[in-house]
Amino acid sequence: MNSPLDGVRVVDFTTTIAGPHCTRLLADLGAEVIKLEAPDGGDMMRSRPPLRNGASTSFGQLNTGKKSVILDLKRPEAVDIVQRLVATTDVVVENFRPGVMQRFGLDYPTLKAVKPDLIFCAISGYGQTGPSAELPAYAPVIHAASGYDLAHLAYQGGDRRPDYCGIYIADVVTGTYAFGAIMTALYQRRETGAGQLIDVSMLESMLSLTLSEMQLAQFPGSFIQGRPVFGPIATKDGWINLSVASERTFQNLAAAAGRRDWIDDPRFAKYPDRRANWGQLIDELEVWSKELSSAEVQAIFDRHGVPSSPYRTVKQAMDDPQLAHRGSFTEIHDAGGTFRALNPPFRMSAAEAAAKPFVAALGEHTEPVLAELSYTPAEITALAEAGVITSPSR
């Protein structure tokens, strides 16, 4: 099928997760993404496990479908190469700390002079300007700074140390917002002919996940501790997440558990009553659920239309027949063999949106890209001998 971004060229200065996630989505939709990597091992994710024959699947799933060029950006000759490349480019994406691209001589005003309709996306922890702009930022720091961690903790009950979230939500959310902003800018450029600077903040991206909590922070008088109508119930062999979000759902739950008397029980009959007495409702529900396996409880809930799911491992989730039905994974090939990577979570009826099945070796496309920019073989050799570029063939 048609690749929606066929013909769009992206120069990718990003490392780790947020930026590479953004540019991989662009590659999934058909953009040519040229990833510029440092000569001292490239993107740090290349060394992150799982490793097979030196190839990282963590790196691979974030960078599949991209080209790899090694440049030492501290060298003026490398800056000249970048400027020549940008002249042929639609989008630049970077996630350095604010000020780094300016020190390289590759900031937006400089590159705009080279390519007036350039779309330049800068991803950072706190934004490009302001009192926090130059602070270092990683996803766990942003989770704490945004209020997300304490908001999450408030739903757990009790006085306890904040959780460590080892899943880097802020990176994925920020990369996705950056992707959406770039797509919007490409559409606007088609209408106006003008490029622009996009400034994406991890802090604001993460804060966007706390929509209800931001309103409750402004109007604390309406706050009710926790969301007791959502949560786990015990079974004979595990746990199931139960979500009772409406009157119909509660009535279905009562029927599923054989407790239609709950519907008229003044402790549970109305939403505020259930919130106030949620613990009693769960205690009585678990008298029933603990006699059954999770699979048995889930089958009953499914028959009665009760929104719920057993708590699964990621491996169990990956083996879900629903994901197989949707073609949710692509088999990716790299130097270590093959692995599965998740496709974008959307399908398009008239266009392809899927991971490309190859991961470039470090510097694999350095010479071909320079040759395309009209560098002669002698010039490429001289740049390699001077340490400005590196290529696997040298």
Side-chain angles (χ1 to χ4, degrees):
M1 285 195 292
N2 172 53
S3 293
L5 297 184
D6 187 35
V8 172
R9 171 172 278 183
V10 179
V11 173
D12 179 3
F13 290 89
T14 69
T15 63
T16 58
I17 300 176
H21 175 65
C22 167
T23 53
R24 205 212 90 174
L25 288 170
L26 295 169
D28 289 352
L29 293 176
E32 178 193 20
V33 179
I34 301 173
K35 184 178 179 73
L36 303 185
E37 301 189 66
D40 54 350
D43 187 335
M44 61 184 285
M45 292 298 291
R46 285 188 179 271
S47 64
R48 295 297 186 264
L51 290 165
R52 307 107 60 249
N53 192 29
S56 165
T57 62
S58 294
F59 172 86
Q61 72 174 350
L62 287 163
N63 294 283
T64 187
K66 304 175 188 178
K67 296 179 178 179
S68 174
V69 171
I70 297 179
L71 289 178
D72 183 355
L73 295 176
K74 297 176 183 177
R75 302 286 295 273
E77 301 94 331
V79 173
D80 291 341
I81 293 169
V82 171
Q83 292 193 354
R84 193 183 297 192
L85 178 59
V86 167
T88 70
T89 292
D90 300 284
V91 180
V92 165
V93 187
E94 60 96 355
N95 65 346
F96 295 117
R97 203 180 301 186
V100 171
M101 288 292 279
Q102 184 177 28
R103 291 196 290 275
F104 285 143
L106 296 170
D107 56 333
Y108 174 61
T110 302
L111 295 182
K112 181 182 179 182
V114 175
K115 186 74 160 55
D117 64 349
L118 179 69
I119 294 165
F120 186 109
C121 180
I123 300 170
S124 63
Y126 301 94
Q128 294 298 300
T129 61
S132 300
E134 295 189 12
L135 294 176
Y138 286 93
V141 173
I142 297 298
H143 294 173
S146 67
Y148 175 88
D149 280 344
L150 290 186
H152 171 76
L153 190 67
Y155 295 120
Q156 311 312 309
D159 184 13
R160 48 185 275 195
R161 180 190 295 265
D163 294 333
Y164 174 76
C165 181
I167 299 172
Y168 298 149
I169 302 168
D171 284 320
V172 176
V173 171
T174 304
T176 303
Y177 275 123
F179 166 72
I182 290 167
M183 297 297 288
T184 304
L186 285 168
Y187 177 83
Q188 185 177 14
R189 190 180 71 171
R190 190 181 69 177
E191 299 298 311
T192 67
Q196 61 186 294
L197 171 66
I198 300 169
D199 174 358
V200 186
S201 153
M202 291 177 70
L203 178 64
E204 292 160 79
S205 298
M206 196 65 192
L207 196 61
S208 74
L209 298 182
T210 60
L211 299 178
S212 296
E213 292 73 22
M214 282 191 288
Q215 298 311 311
L216 291 169
Q218 299 173 74
F219 304 101
S222 62
F223 182 72
I224 300 174
Q225 182 70 34
R227 280 183 180 159
V229 293
F230 302 90
I233 63 168
T235 66
K236 185 194 299 184
D237 59 358
W239 300 86
I240 284 181
N241 181 277
L242 173 68
S243 295
V244 184
S246 68
E247 295 306 312
R248 173 60 62 85
T249 301
F250 171 64
Q251 292 167 12
N252 291 347
L253 172 67
R259 292 296 305 270
R260 292 182 184 274
D261 57 295
W262 287 342
I263 296 172
D264 298 316
D265 189 318
R267 298 174 300 165
F268 313 133
K270 297 184 179 181
Y271 179 77
D273 303 324
R274 290 194 293 279
R275 290 192 71 120
N277 298 293
W278 183 254
Q280 294 181 46
L281 179 60
I282 292 301
D283 288 343
E284 294 187 22
L285 179 62
E286 287 183 343
V287 171
W288 167 75
S289 65
K290 287 181 177 179
E291 296 297 316
L292 302 171
S293 68
S294 292
E296 291 169 329
V297 172
Q298 189 61 51
I300 295 169
F301 281 167
D302 287 345
R303 287 199 302 272
H304 287 82
V306 178
S308 53
S309 174
Y311 286 82
R312 302 192 293 193
T313 66
V314 172
K315 186 177 188 309
Q316 289 170 332
M318 289 175 68
D319 292 335
D320 190 322
Q322 177 64 20
L323 298 181
H325 168 78
R326 283 178 57 81
S328 299
F329 294 95
T330 291
E331 187 174 87
I332 309 297
H333 304 264
D334 67 2
T338 62
F339 63 93
R340 288 192 295 165
L342 190 66
N343 289 320
F346 51 84
R347 303 291 177 270
M348 304 174 72
S349 65
E352 182 180 44
K356 302 303 179 282
F358 67 89
V359 180
L362 181 59
E364 179 179 342
H365 300 95
T366 303
E367 292 187 23
V369 168
L370 265 63
E372 184 185 337
L373 296 175
S374 300
Y375 284 86
T376 67
E379 289 173 323
I380 293 172
T381 297
L383 288 167
E385 290 175 348
V388 177
I389 67 170
T390 309
S391 176
S393 65
R394 296 178 183 275

